[in-house]
Amino acid sequence: MPAQPSRNRPGDGLRADARHNRARILQAARTAYAAHGIDVPVTTIARHAGVGVATLYRRFPTRDALVSEAFAEQFRACAAVLDEALADPDPWHGFRSLVERVCAMQARDRGFTAAFLARFPGLLDHEGERERAEAKLAQLVRRAQRAGSLRADFDPSDVVLVLLANNGLSKGGEHSAPAASRRLTAYLLESFRAVPPAPGTSRALPPPAPLELRQLHDGP
């Protein structure tokens, strides 16, 4: 008996089309979240992806699922940054690099901030990832404190304070936010040091960001 034509069977074409739609949805979501934060309506994302809302929900049954998948790469990057910081033979350099790199990532992507700060706490805790990250962060802090480079009263929760402060810089706009973030981070890191650097070894602050007082009222 001859084989049935491929059009009568579940074919690779449909699976490829589904994968293509999924990729377009995720790209549209990342772009929208980066520019406007994670409150962008699902209908807007579907429109930019060139798919119907029903198609979007078939790929991502809930809005939280879409947010989680859209930022999966950033979460993996943060985990890698934390592991690299712990592996750094210089405890202070490891701590400083973690703060600088995560803040830079945050300044580039407005949506990442809300996701990283657990806007959806249950969603962002796959297989205990949050607990492991918090344990590693506490280890990084204790390591720098034992080395005498990080002030003894610094608490791991202070990293959240840094991210909250850094998040406010998104009002400066996409052009000034990265520069403002670099300068703020440099100021904060100097305040976290247990002892001032030796003469001639202090790091110069990054250049000032193009910010004006009117932006406090006007926003980005």
Side-chain angles (χ1 to χ4, degrees):
M1 182 177 180
Q4 294 293 321
S6 60
R7 65 176 178 273
N8 292 334
R9 291 177 290 144
D12 291 339
L14 287 177
R15 291 195 295 270
D17 184 60
R19 288 195 300 270
H20 181 60
N21 284 341
R22 185 176 188 277
R24 289 167 62 186
I25 292 167
L26 285 174
Q27 183 56 51
R30 292 183 187 113
T31 301
Y33 294 153
H36 306 293
I38 59 176
D39 292 326
V40 177
V42 169
T43 52
T44 299
I45 294 172
R47 185 173 68 252
H48 285 296
V51 302
V53 174
T55 298
L56 185 150
Y57 277 120
R58 279 198 298 273
R59 305 281 77 82
F60 304 96
T62 67
R63 182 170 175 272
D64 292 358
L66 176 59
V67 172
S68 179
E69 190 61 28
F71 288 105
E73 184 177 341
Q74 286 93 328
F75 292 134
R76 287 192 292 269
C78 280
V81 168
L82 184 51
D83 287 338
E84 290 171 15
L86 278 170
D88 195 314
D90 183 332
W92 172 252
H93 183 269
F95 173 82
R96 188 185 72 205
S97 67
L98 173 77
V99 173
E100 290 176 339
R101 293 172 68 182
V102 173
C103 283
M105 189 183 305
Q106 181 188 37
R108 290 193 302 267
D109 193 330
R110 292 177 61 183
F112 173 71
T113 301
F116 188 87
L117 294 178
R119 177 81 174 264
F120 302 99
L123 178 69
L124 303 180
D125 194 22
H126 299 300
E127 301 177 0
E129 290 172 0
R130 181 194 303 279
E131 286 81 1
R132 286 195 293 271
E134 290 177 345
K136 288 180 179 180
L137 178 60
Q139 181 183 349
L140 184 70
V141 167
R142 289 194 300 269
R143 182 170 171 257
Q145 288 171 331
R146 286 196 299 268
S149 52
L150 180 63
R151 53 189 301 158
D153 57 355
F154 185 92
D155 187 85
S157 65
D158 291 331
V159 173
V160 179
L161 291 179
V162 173
L163 294 176
L164 286 169
N166 195 57
N167 182 43
L169 299 177
S170 63
K171 291 186 177 182
E174 61 180 333
H175 299 297
S176 59
S181 174
R182 287 190 293 270
R183 192 164 175 91
L184 175 66
T185 302
Y187 270 125
L188 292 175
L189 284 169
E190 286 303 308
S191 73
F192 297 156
R193 293 179 70 104
V195 292
T201 63
S202 60
R203 305 172 75 210
L205 288 172
L211 297 173
E212 300 177 359
L213 285 175
R214 64 177 177 80
Q215 291 174 256
L216 292 173
H217 178 267
D218 296 340

